[in-house]
Amino acid sequence: MAITNDNCSCGAKVVVFTGDDVKHTSFLCDGFQVICAEDLNTDKANYYSLFRCSECGEPTAEAVPTVVNFLHPTFIGKNHGDA
């Protein structure tokens, strides 16, 4: 689906894979994979996913905007915000 360059709230650069772009060797089953940006074009990208930021230790599900939006999408439907 998408490969997104993003940053943790502390500024650490990460790459987020979603949908069909998640590596097959990833242990995740929730539809996304987060790796360090420097590992993007290496074989290491196939073998891990960050659950916490490697610099600040915050959970990626709370500190990386792409992951937050993936897990908690904001749907604006009919009558949303109507006065």
Side-chain angles (χ1 to χ4, degrees):
M1 239 179 170
I3 300 173
T4 308
N5 292 317
D6 206 343
N7 293 319
C8 176
S9 58
C10 73
K13 294 182 180 189
V14 296
V15 177
V16 180
F17 297 92
T18 58
D20 293 337
D21 291 317
V22 173
K23 307 297 182 190
H24 296 290
T25 55
S26 173
F27 296 104
L28 293 176
C29 59
D30 48 7
F32 68 91
Q33 177 185 10
V34 181
I35 64 168
C36 295
E38 60 267 8
D39 293 336
L40 179 59
N41 295 318
T42 66
D43 286 336
K44 290 171 76 174
N46 296 326
Y47 301 109
Y48 78 95
S49 183
L50 295 172
F51 292 100
R52 293 186 171 273
C53 175
S54 58
E55 290 189 21
C56 70
E58 289 295 316
T60 56
E62 297 173 8
V64 178
T66 302
V67 177
V68 172
N69 292 334
F70 182 80
L71 293 174
H72 307 287
T74 303
F75 294 107
I76 298 176
K78 186 176 181 182
N79 299 326
H80 181 76
D82 289 349

